Amino acid sequence: MFKFRLLQLPLLLLALSSQGSAQFAHTDHKQIVDAAGKPLFLRATNLGNWLVPEGYMWLFQGGPQSPSEIRALVLELLGPEGSAAFWQKYRENYVTREDIALLHRAGFNAIRVPLHYSLFESDNAEGFQLLDRLIVWSRAENMYVILDLHAAPGGQTGTNIDDSAGYPWLYQSPQEQEHLIAIWRRLATHYRDAPAVLGYDLLNEPIPHFLKLAALNSSLEPLYKKLAGEIRKVDAHHILFLGGAQRIEKISVFGKPFDANVTYTFNKYWKAPDESVLQQYIDFRERYDVPIWMGESGENTDEWIAQFVKALEKNSIGWAFWPYKKMEKPSAVVSIIPPSDWGKIVEFAKLPRGTGRAEERLKARPEQQTIARVFAELLENVRPQKCRVNQGYLKALGMKSDIAPVSAGGSAN
């Protein structure tokens, strides 16, 4: 168990304990409102690459992309003990108290957290320990947390982002659906009395746009209903966020809302940054008198982002842009500076994998001393104090841009 659990126990109990008078944010017709019933317009970021690593944010284009593929590379390079120690330290360092303070100072009021189901397989799993401290920090900064199941058992997409086997078996496997229900029941039981948790995003980007998978569309809403029914047995408070098919863009798969505290969410990348791409969601909001919310967008120029934020806010659509932190590229709140010799790791990562390639990979493998140094440097560089704040990106979002990370125990610039 992490040391912070002992050091911050009183604050943790304050944030997570059951209180008879506890009030929760909820939906009210077309709006999300806070505990007092005041409209709550969400301006959030996504903690991508923290609990669900993605290859492009490690500069691994052409190499490992899914969490499992990245873990296999790290295991190959650092060994069993070294890789286990690396991942524990990586998750501790990637999101810290200082990161949440920085986001609050920038003007964000919420955080969407992509989750991997494997970190929540027991009541005392590492994922709960990490989320508990995040919620403590977020509550202290008056920020909400949205729990987003990015990687579900069986896979809801069949692609790298859900760490699946290459096909979305979730919709056809009773075993994996029961596994999914168990994960959400465990999450909902743990956080049912936590008002800093805004709600549960049940599945990220379900059913890709691939033509062969369109037949699965009719399975999505029944699965959501099944999930919601089980969650409501243990948690009547939190908002349920539901994303449509074809990677969350197609909202027409839904009928009349089946829960009284639900918000419909969509992601939108690489489209025209104007009202034309929002109309189907606006129409849905009007038809069913429910809130809509954009859970992801970004990975574009500052100019594109600024235009899209303007279109979203003109139409009273709250948002969460992607991501908070990634390596080198400026299309994030902060950028991680690549370690020296990171290029050697990237080039090795791109080589064809498989045991049949062992001799070829050994010839190209960096020296072990270099590998150890580079990964140790990475663990330091992911800390907010070592990251670069991207002022243009923050300005595009309408956030305060003249900020710097808070040093541990120190004050902000």
Side-chain angles (χ1 to χ4, degrees):
M1 184 173 289
F2 295 126
K3 292 180 180 179
F4 65 78
R5 296 279 289 183
L6 298 176
L7 295 173
Q8 297 184 339
L9 184 58
L11 187 55
L12 181 65
L13 292 175
L14 177 63
L16 300 180
S17 64
S18 175
Q19 302 173 38
S21 60
Q23 297 293 313
F24 295 80
H26 55 279
T27 63
D28 183 8
H29 297 280
K30 298 180 183 68
Q31 293 182 317
I32 295 174
V33 299
D34 64 16
K38 181 181 178 181
L40 178 60
F41 192 89
L42 297 175
R43 294 180 175 91
T45 189
N46 282 271
L47 300 185
N49 206 43
W50 178 36
L51 305 181
V52 187
E54 292 191 48
Y56 84 96
M57 286 192 269
W58 297 59
L59 308 183
F60 286 162
Q61 289 87 339
Q65 294 301 305
S66 72
S68 292
E69 291 169 346
I70 297 170
R71 286 196 301 270
L73 174 69
V74 175
L75 174 62
E76 180 181 4
L77 291 173
L78 295 180
E81 293 85 0
S83 61
F86 169 80
W87 285 117
Q88 181 175 345
K89 197 68 175 175
Y90 173 88
R91 289 190 280 263
E92 287 186 34
N93 287 5
Y94 201 88
V95 176
T96 67
R97 175 71 178 82
E98 290 74 34
D99 288 288
I100 307 308
L102 183 150
L103 289 171
H104 172 73
R105 295 199 317 278
F108 294 95
N109 62 5
I111 302 165
R112 183 172 178 258
V113 188
L115 308 178
H116 195 298
Y117 76 90
S118 65
L119 293 170
F120 301 92
E121 295 282 27
S122 67
D123 292 341
N124 62 348
E126 181 188 358
F128 285 115
Q129 299 173 32
L130 293 165
L131 277 185
D132 284 357
R133 69 172 189 169
L134 173 69
I135 292 166
V136 168
W137 298 333
S138 299
R139 184 176 176 114
E141 300 288 350
N142 294 313
M143 298 177 72
Y144 288 98
V145 175
I146 296 100
L147 305 184
D148 153 48
L149 192 57
H150 226 69
Q156 73 273 23
T157 77
T159 64
N160 67 292
I161 58 174
D162 67 16
D163 204 21
S164 69
Y167 183 84
W169 280 111
L170 176 62
Y171 308 101
Q172 296 165 303
S173 170
Q175 170 183 298
E176 297 295 9
Q177 289 189 15
E178 288 304 311
H179 193 175
L180 173 66
I181 289 169
I183 293 294
W184 269 120
R185 186 187 296 118
R186 191 173 295 120
L187 284 163
T189 300
H190 192 91
Y191 294 113
R192 61 188 171 192
D193 296 315
V197 174
L198 183 75
Y200 308 138
D201 196 336
L202 300 186
L203 289 174
N204 176 69
E205 296 190 352
I207 311 176
H209 59 278
F210 310 138
L211 186 61
K212 275 196 170 184
L213 299 180
L216 297 176
N217 286 2
S218 61
S219 302
L220 183 58
E221 188 172 44
L223 179 58
Y224 278 146
K225 289 179 179 178
K226 189 175 181 181
L227 266 178
E230 292 298 320
I231 289 172
R232 289 305 185 214
K233 290 178 182 179
V234 297
D235 183 348
H237 301 306
H238 286 99
I239 298 169
L240 304 182
F241 289 85
L242 307 180
Q246 277 65 69
R247 285 197 168 163
I248 220 165
E249 290 195 355
K250 192 171 184 178
I251 204 167
S252 60
V253 298
F254 295 119
K256 184 179 179 181
F258 55 83
D259 188 275
N261 196 21
V262 66
T263 293
Y264 291 84
T265 181
F266 63 94
N267 295 356
K268 191 66 66 174
Y269 289 98
W270 311 303
K271 301 290 178 66
D274 57 38
E275 295 179 42
S276 65
V277 301
L278 303 175
Q279 196 58 53
Q280 65 166 313
Y281 312 110
I282 296 169
D283 292 344
F284 189 92
R285 177 175 65 188
E286 296 303 313
R287 182 181 309 121
Y288 291 117
D289 194 31
V290 290
I292 57 173
W293 186 59
M294 191 193 73
E296 286 183 30
S297 186
E299 299 296 9
N300 216 310
T301 65
D302 292 345
E303 293 76 17
W304 186 96
I305 289 170
Q307 290 180 51
F308 200 30
V309 167
K310 183 178 179 181
L312 290 163
E313 299 201 347
K314 179 182 177 182
N315 289 280
S316 300
I317 301 173
W319 47 261
F321 273 76
W322 180 280
Y324 163 55
K325 180 186 293 187
K326 64 179 177 179
M327 191 176 289
E328 190 177 67
K329 308 300 182 183
S331 50
V333 177
V334 300
S335 297
I336 301 162
I337 307 304
S340 57
D341 288 329
W342 184 248
K344 294 180 180 180
I345 303 299
V346 170
E347 290 307 308
F348 181 75
K350 292 179 180 179
L351 293 176
R353 291 194 58 82
T355 53
R357 305 276 189 169
E359 184 176 8
E360 177 185 344
R361 292 179 69 82
L362 281 169
K363 289 178 181 178
R365 180 187 177 98
E367 293 297 320
Q368 198 61 41
Q369 184 177 8
T370 299
I371 293 170
R373 175 178 54 78
V374 169
F375 277 90
E377 189 176 339
L378 176 61
L379 290 176
E380 289 303 310
N381 286 8
V382 299
R383 294 177 179 275
Q385 298 88 346
K386 296 291 187 74
C387 291
R388 181 184 69 242
V389 175
N390 294 311
Q391 295 188 346
Y393 182 86
L394 285 169
K395 287 178 181 177
L397 292 175
M399 298 286 108
K400 183 179 179 182
S401 60
D402 56 336
I403 57 173
V406 178
S407 298
S411 59
N413 293 335

